[in-house]
Amino acid sequence: MIRRTLACMLTLGLVACATQPHSPSPPPQASGAPNKPGVAHKGPAEAAPESAAAAAPPVDLTPVPFEVARANFVRETAARYGIPAGQIEATLAQAQVRDPIIAAMSRPAERVKPWNEYRPMFISQARIEGGRKFLAQHRDELMRVQERTGVPAEVIVAIIGVETSYGANTGSYRVLDALYTLAFNYPRSGDPAKLEREVRRELFFRDELARLFALSRDEKLDILSIKGSYAGAMGMGQFMPSSYLDFAVDGNGDGRRDLFTSYDDVFSSIANYFVKKGGWVRGGPVAVPATLASGRAPFDPTDWTPSWTLPDLAQRGYQPTAAVPAGLTATPITLEGSTGKQYWLGFQNYYAITRYNLSKMYAMAVYQLSQAIAGQELPPA
């Protein structure tokens, strides 16, 4: 979950400063398809290249012994958050390196699934009906959040449905173990071309481990018992520690931000993420189907920022098939459907969903599931 711009990282013996996408989930996986919801927070099925990642400063690829990296982590995390070094050391002494996590991160990338295969992984009649039941059960809380933030209740519910099957499967790994494993034992493929990415991934998880200490202190969480995905994502919305710290909200006013058992906090936090990170526009559209003029090639942008006006897109052959308010900007979306290419225009709210997971198909799955939960007829896959 998930916050997708890393601030300056700890040096931790490896790098002075690195900038990467941040999110409630870990950075994009190479895998062509996400893992099952709830088992681990998904990497994008088709990650969009992000300009921030492309502009990241160089990272030191020199190997650092585990003992040095760990000692640097303890010292710098203590200085960064004012947590006694002895307390951090005592906690890490109880962390376990989990081989299944390393194996999961080492799995070869799968092929990128086309839309007509991807959508059924997330949108089924059972999931639609489950979403409608969940919305009905929590309508009052969801409507309060919708009124306050402008994020529709069905979109919040769809995120929870895709991420954890409405809270039924939030992960079974100790978050401490997951982050400790990936922070100091991120698997290396031995491919020199992949080394920089692997080092950046390890540093990402090391930063998340540091933030877990701050989170457990601030929210009075037992760091030794928090459970989540094998990548360290937590709660019904699968927030990474950084996203929890930056975007979680105390929705019920009890003085804590509880993304595990408090529905008010979960709903408010997901909506807050969309508003603060994604720039959600109250009452704005998410996406509309479009046509592409015969003979025109699809335009594939480098990310999902809605940077093009409708006249710009019309010059490229795109026309929306539904009414669109004047003055909006959009991004073109091409999906491989069961009967050929599908064309859509995604607006700011579509972009906001991609901040949760850097994938055009993930965002479309969430949007279409939300529409189905709200009683709208689904378009063909």
Side-chain angles (χ1 to χ4, degrees), residues 20 32 41 45 50 54 134 137 220 228 235 239 247 264 294 303 326 347 364-365 368:
Q20 278 189 301
H41 198 88
E50 293 290 304
F134 187 89
Q137 289 174 333
K220 299 178 176 59
F239 277 43
F247 299 107
D264 283 310
S294 178
D303 62 31
F347 303 97
M364 187 61 70
Q368 291 192 7

Side-chain angles (χ1 to χ4, degrees), residues 207-223:
D207 184 68
E208 292 295 333
L209 178 61
R211 291 171 186 258
L212 179 65
F213 279 92
L215 176 66
S216 65
R217 177 197 62 193
D218 294 351
E219 303 304 326
K220 299 178 176 59
L221 300 173
D222 180 2
I223 197 171

